[in-house]
Each structure stands twice: as C-alpha cells, then as structure tokens.
Amino acid sequence: MTPYGTDLTPLARELARTFGATDEDFGPLVGLLRKLLQAQGRGDTAIPVSEEEETWLATRPWVSDDGHTPLVLRDGWLQFQRLWKAEARIARRLRAMTTASARQTETTLDDAFLAAADQFGLDGEKLTAIRRMLGQRLTLLTGGPGTGKTTTLAWLLAAHLRAEAGLDFALAAPTGKAAQRMSDAIGNAAGDLPLDDAARARLAAVTPVTLHRLLSMDGNGRPGHHAGNPLPHALVVVDEASMVDVTLMAQLVDALRPDARLVLMGDPDQLASVEAGRVLSDLIDGLPEAHVQLEKTHRFPASIKALADAIRQGESDSAWRHITQNGQRLDTDLMTAMVDGHADYAAALRQPAGEPAAQARALLEALERFRVLAPLRRGPTGVETLNRTLLLHWASQGLLQPAGEGVWAGMPVLVTRNAPGLGLSNGDTGVLVPDGSLLKAWFRRGKDVEGLPLTALPPWEPALAMTVHKAQGGEFDRVLLVLPDSPHELVSRQLLYTAVTRAKKAFRLAGDEAVLRSGIERPISRTSRLLTRLRETDGA
C-alpha cells in the first residue's frame, strides 16, 4: 500500500484539477504516481520514462524541468518535486563548500600535537587525513570496520580545540545507538588527546545526539533548525552517514550556518538508508576532492575482515571458504547457540536484585557482548520468532518475571519510533527493570542510565534478536547471523556485509551455503539523480 492508499485516483484528480489538466490525464497520471511511489519504496529517487512518455509529459501543466510543479522531468528521468529539490539543495550547498575549501590555505599540526600523536601511535595515514580535514569545509571520511574513523575524528577535534578551546561543534548520528557508540569511542580516546583543561572540558561537554534531535525535529518531521534558523555550530560531524536519506541530508545542509564545516563519516559498503537515496556513495563519486579514505585496519580480527572483504567484493567462493576454514559456521543447534551466546545476560539476570540503576547497567553491558541478527522480521528464522523463543525459554527458567501480555521484567526492548520529548530515538535499546512497584525501561545516557515508566514509552519490541537494519550503527563483541531457510530478496550483499561488520571479536553464521551465495551475488542497486546534480553544479 502506498502512503495514499491503494487508490491513487483522488490524488491524481487533485493534481490535475490544481494545474488545469483534463480527464484524459487521470489514467496515465495514476500509473506514473504508482511507479514513482513504488520506486521510492525501493530507495530510488527517480524513474526513467520512455520517449513516448517523455513527449506526453512535456505538455502536461503539472510537470516541469525546474522544480516548480509536483513532478519534475529532466533528461528522461521523472521525480517527485520534493526529492528533486532535496538533491538539488544538497548538491548546491556541498559543491559550494568544496569550492570554498579550495581557497583555504593548508593547516599544519604543531610539534606538541605531533609528539603526542607519536606517543599514542597514531599512524601516518591518520595524520595525513587530519591535515587534509583541517583545510576542508567538507570532508567525507570513510573506511571499513576497524580503520579508526572515530579515532581520527577524536584527534581532529583535538587539533581544532588546540586552536580554539571554545569551539562550538556538534556530533550526531542517524540513530541513538550510533550516537551512543560515537560517545563511547570519543570518551575512550579523550585521555590520550593533547588538550589543556579548558579544551578537554569543552570536549567532554559535547554529547553526540541523533540527527533528529540536532535539527530539533518535531513529531511531524519538521526541523526547528533550517536556513532561517541555522544551527549555531562552526563544525558539525555526522557518523554512520550511509544511513542518512536524501531528505534528511537536505534538511541538515539547509540548517548549517554559512561558514560551517561538515564532516560526514561512514562506510559506503553498508546498507543504505531505509528511505530513498544513496547519498554518501553519490557524494564520494561526485566530490572526490572532499573524500578522505582510511584503509589500514587496527584491532579487528583478521577472520572477520577477510570475510567482510570477500562479501564486499562479491566473491562468494572466497566468503564461504573463510567461513568454513575459520569455524564461523554454526555447528550446534540454533537454540543452544542463542542461549550460550546470551550467557552473560542470563548471568546478570540471576544476580540478586539490587539498586535498579545498577542492575539495568549490568544488563545493558551484557547485552552488548552478543546479539542475534536476522534479515527477516517474520517467519521461522525471523526476529519475532527468535525473540519469542528466547523469552519463553528464560521465563521457563524463572529468569524473567511476567509483567503483562508479552512483557517480562528483565527483557531488553528496542524503541521503534522517535520520541523527542523523552529523548528517545528509533533504535534505542533499553532493559525492563522494576523500580519499586513500577516497571521501568532503562536506557543509557552517556555513562549513566535513566529509567522511564514502561507505560510512557513509544512503540517498542523485544531486542534479544534484531534485524540487520536495526543493528546498523551498533557494534557487539559477538554476532550470530541467522539466515532464512532459502534464498530471499532481502538477503543482499550489503546486508551480509553490514551484519558481519557488526561483530568486533567473533562472527558465526546459521544458514545454508546457497542462501549466503545468493545474497553475496545480489548487490543492491539504487537509482538516484544526486550525482547528476553534483556534476551540473561543478564549477558553479
């Protein structure tokens, strides 16, 4: 079903009536609207039209080539006005930022900074990246798992803060999970940075937030910060930028103040945004002068890196060989593997109930050590079934206490809708722990935890197992990926790569060789016009 329902005729009549079209437009217009909405659902921002369709569309009053009508037709491609304008705004603003960067002088790193970096062991690749980033208004910082993107960011911030201790900067990510991971990584690196007390205090005072919170988005998706009310920050950094869709990216660039710097970090080989667009990949292709790529891998198991590389390169033979030779294929039954994997969480549940916040913190820490991932939500290998199986098992062991239909004290939960008023975002993970007679969901808040009444939460679901899409932006010590029983269109090369790279220490696969091979040989391809817009604005 489309956002307008299955019957698009009322929408077509409204457009036709507004722009003075005739009854003969209704049928073709309904068909085009359906194609556009289906394409948007696949992640495309435009559809190609035939010469016959293009000739017909060129005479319609509700189509133009300049964005002044509901539909935009250019060079044989048809788009909704909203998506055309979003791509045009991104291209115009970011191309202008790269042009401004070309006029800036190169920034050097002082001797004390270099001495501290040498003592820390910061390699030449990262120092070169930092020098480049200091001289750019726009940076696209990319790299695979373990290449040290966040470490590079921490030292970049240190270089900025050494020059201006009171620098106004913001750190953001598409999801609360990714923002929390960004916060943890920078916090871990902070002690090694060459900063004085004032600059270190400034770094500690900035907490990464979701993009929706950064832009002060209301419940209807309208940003409080925009061109008329820009963000105050001189520097804005966005992690996991591959997850940012074209509309949200356009809202972000609109909200930047005229002299702001922007750093977009991510791995373009991961899953793209749930909504339309492939923004990070298009920006890398269209703005190579802004692209800074990290390639050296640090503190990442060779077995996981080799498997991730094989998947990314579409080498199914090599991927399967790595899985079998490294013992990454599950050799026990699935239920045993899930229960054993969650042993730390079960141990935390067995601890005598103490102070609620402390118990919640222990459960949240244990939850990050292992996670079951799956491509599908429903079916025998879907996360709904996997979660229900695990919860019923633990309930039968007395580790979870019933607290309502489908609710157990001790279970982890995953928020599925943004709730700005509560400081919660889609993808945030919490645990249910009683506080006296009140059952609360406890979430991480920096290094602390906060409990909210379960009844106050937005929609949520159990989180012992989660979809690969929901896991994007997070990392876990160990990951178990459960594939469907037969090849499925949702199992793609990007999904498999994303799943494998969620694991920091160990990865295991529960699934058949044929399903894995089919997924590796199914790369996701999206249609976008952002790259064309970038090339049109080249030199402008």
Side-chain angles (χ1 to χ4, degrees):
M1 181 177 291
T2 72
Y4 304 98
T6 56
D7 184 7
L8 293 172
T9 302
L11 176 62
R13 289 188 180 277
E14 182 180 346
L15 287 176
R17 184 167 51 249
T18 301
F19 288 87
T22 63
D23 287 349
E24 69 181 20
D25 289 342
F26 294 160
L29 180 54
V30 167
L32 287 170
L33 290 174
R34 191 174 303 282
K35 287 181 181 178
L36 283 168
L37 289 167
Q38 289 172 341
Q40 187 175 322
R42 295 191 301 268
D44 300 334
T45 67
I47 60 172
V49 295
S50 66
E51 289 186 12
E52 182 180 357
E53 288 173 323
E54 187 172 9
T55 300
W56 182 81
L57 285 166
T59 63
R60 301 303 96 182
W62 30 267
V63 181
S64 69
D65 65 355
D66 57 7
H68 291 125
T69 52
L71 300 183
V72 179
L73 176 67
R74 292 186 70 166
D75 304 322
W77 292 90
L78 187 67
Q79 293 183 270
F80 283 121
Q81 177 196 61
R82 177 179 63 86
L83 296 176
W84 184 89
K85 285 187 171 181
E87 290 181 337
R89 297 201 312 271
I90 294 169
R92 185 170 55 250
R93 181 66 194 275
L94 298 191
R95 173 63 71 185
M97 292 177 75
T98 60
T99 302
S101 295
R103 296 193 293 266
Q104 292 184 335
T105 58
E106 183 176 348
T107 303
T108 59
L109 299 171
D110 63 75
D111 291 342
F113 182 96
L114 292 173
D118 182 63
Q119 183 176 2
F120 175 77
L122 200 68
D123 60 53
E125 181 186 56
K126 292 178 180 56
L127 287 171
T128 299
I130 291 167
R131 288 190 182 95
R132 278 193 60 192
M133 294 165 75
L134 287 170
Q136 297 181 172
R137 287 277 307 283
L138 171 69
T139 296
L140 311 171
L141 178 63
T142 69
T147 51
K149 295 186 293 293
T150 311
T151 299
T152 303
L153 171 64
W155 283 81
L156 172 71
L157 293 174
H160 276 298
L161 289 168
R162 286 175 67 83
E164 183 184 351
L167 176 71
D168 191 341
F169 67 97
L171 306 174
T175 66
K177 185 189 298 94
Q180 182 63 59
R181 187 161 65 87
M182 191 182 194
S183 176
D184 293 342
I186 292 177
N188 292 336
D192 297 304
L193 300 177
L195 296 174
D196 60 24
D197 290 344
R200 196 176 301 280
R202 177 65 188 141
L203 179 62
V206 177
T207 300
V209 297
T210 64
L211 273 173
H212 284 75
R213 186 171 178 183
L214 176 71
L215 296 173
S216 298
M217 207 80 78
D218 66 17
N220 294 314
R222 292 187 295 261
H225 289 288
H226 42 72
N229 180 34
L231 293 163
H233 316 294
L235 170 66
V236 175
V237 181
V238 179
D239 197 7
E240 298 291 350
S242 65
M243 300 171 65
V244 182
D245 63 86
V246 66
T247 301
L248 185 56
M249 185 63 75
Q251 291 171 323
L252 172 64
V253 301
D254 284 346
L256 297 174
R257 76 188 207 190
D259 63 338
R261 293 170 178 257
L262 176 64
V263 176
L264 300 176
M265 300 167 51
D267 183 347
D269 294 312
Q270 289 186 25
L271 284 166
S273 59
V274 175
E275 303 297 333
R278 54 177 193 193
V279 178
L280 183 60
S281 294
D282 281 340
L283 292 178
I284 291 168
D285 291 340
L287 301 172
E289 63 272 38
H291 186 204
V292 177
Q293 184 175 13
L294 301 178
E295 297 181 343
K296 291 184 179 180
T297 302
H298 308 271
R299 298 185 300 275
F300 198 70
S303 61
I304 296 178
K305 183 182 185 304
L307 175 58
D309 287 345
I311 292 172
R312 178 175 54 82
Q313 295 161 8
E315 298 174 354
S316 56
D317 288 342
S318 177
W320 185 248
R321 184 168 60 252
H322 284 302
I323 286 174
T324 55
Q325 290 179 352
N326 292 311
Q328 292 172 311
R329 190 182 187 192
L330 189 65
D331 55 6
T332 61
D333 70 271
L334 180 58
M335 185 63 189
T336 299
M338 292 194 297
V339 171
D340 290 348
H342 280 297
D344 287 349
Y345 195 84
L349 288 173
R350 291 189 180 94
Q351 292 298 314
E355 198 270 324
Q359 185 181 13
R361 187 179 293 107
L363 288 170
L364 286 169
E365 290 175 355
L367 191 62
E368 296 307 300
R369 297 181 194 130
F370 175 75
R371 193 62 56 91
V372 179
L373 303 182
L376 307 184
R377 175 168 298 280
R378 297 180 177 86
T381 59
V383 296
E384 291 180 357
T385 300
L386 298 175
N387 272 307
R388 184 167 55 251
T389 300
L390 277 168
L391 290 170
L392 290 174
H393 170 78
W394 280 349
S396 70
Q397 301 283 313
L399 296 181
L400 301 176
Q401 303 303 316
E405 185 175 354
V407 180
W408 288 273
M411 71 184 288
V413 296
L414 179 77
V415 173
T416 59
R417 185 181 300 167
N418 294 331
L422 295 174
L424 293 176
S425 302
N426 185 359
D428 284 353
T429 303
V431 291
L432 302 186
V433 173
D435 186 0
S437 61
L438 182 63
L439 185 60
K440 290 184 177 181
W442 297 80
F443 298 88
R444 289 191 59 183
R445 294 286 188 259
K447 295 182 179 180
D448 298 320
V449 294
E450 178 186 9
L452 301 171
L454 179 62
T455 54
L457 292 191
W460 55 269
E461 60 190 31
L464 288 168
M466 60 198 304
T467 64
V468 177
H469 279 85
K470 290 291 187 183
Q472 195 169 359
E475 285 185 342
F476 314 98
D477 287 349
R478 294 167 291 118
V479 164
L480 171 63
L481 175 64
V482 182
L483 295 180
D485 295 330
S486 59
H488 194 284
E489 61 181 3
L490 290 182
V491 183
S492 66
R493 182 181 302 172
Q494 288 89 337
L495 181 140
L496 293 169
Y497 175 84
T498 301
V500 170
T501 55
R502 297 313 88 204
K504 293 190 293 184
K505 297 180 179 179
F507 171 83
R508 298 187 81 187
L509 175 75
D512 290 338
E513 177 182 358
V515 180
L516 179 77
R517 286 181 177 274
S518 173
I520 293 174
E521 293 162 7
R522 185 185 289 113
I524 296 173
S525 178
R526 287 188 169 187
T527 298
S528 163
R529 300 297 286 165
L530 176 56
L531 185 55
T532 301
R533 298 285 88 81
L534 288 164
R535 288 169 175 166
E536 288 176 349
T537 58
D538 191 8

